Amino acid sequence: MRGTATAAFFIGTTLIGLAMGPYLAGRVADLTGSLSTGILSLLVTLPLAVAAAITALRLVPAAEASREARAREAGEPL
């Protein structure tokens, strides 16, 4: 279960962060004619990151509290 979660995290980070970030910055730079505007446009994603962090802060404690029960249900030995 931990390996699957780690793999999902790394795939999400790699595909979204490393693939889409430079592409979107270049795309906006082409549309506006300014590289600095393209790079600064990536700050639009900041509210999404803050929302994800707040959601994690609210959901992680409940998930940690039920961790052992969910592991037993998944068939993992404790």
Side-chain angles (χ1 to χ4, degrees):
M1 196 163 43
R2 184 180 301 156
T4 303
T6 302
F9 171 76
F10 284 143
I11 272 196
T13 303
T14 302
L15 290 179
I16 293 171
L18 297 177
M20 294 303 293
Y23 170 76
L24 291 176
R27 186 78 173 164
V28 171
D30 282 344
L31 291 173
T32 63
S34 171
L35 181 59
S36 62
T37 302
I39 293 171
L40 287 174
S41 71
L42 295 179
L43 292 176
V44 171
T45 61
L46 187 61
L48 295 173
V50 170
I54 291 171
T55 302
L57 283 172
R58 292 182 180 175
L59 295 178
V60 167
E64 282 293 319
S66 66
R67 177 182 51 182
E68 289 183 14
R70 289 182 291 116
R72 280 192 193 97
E73 288 174 7
E76 291 190 22
L78 295 176

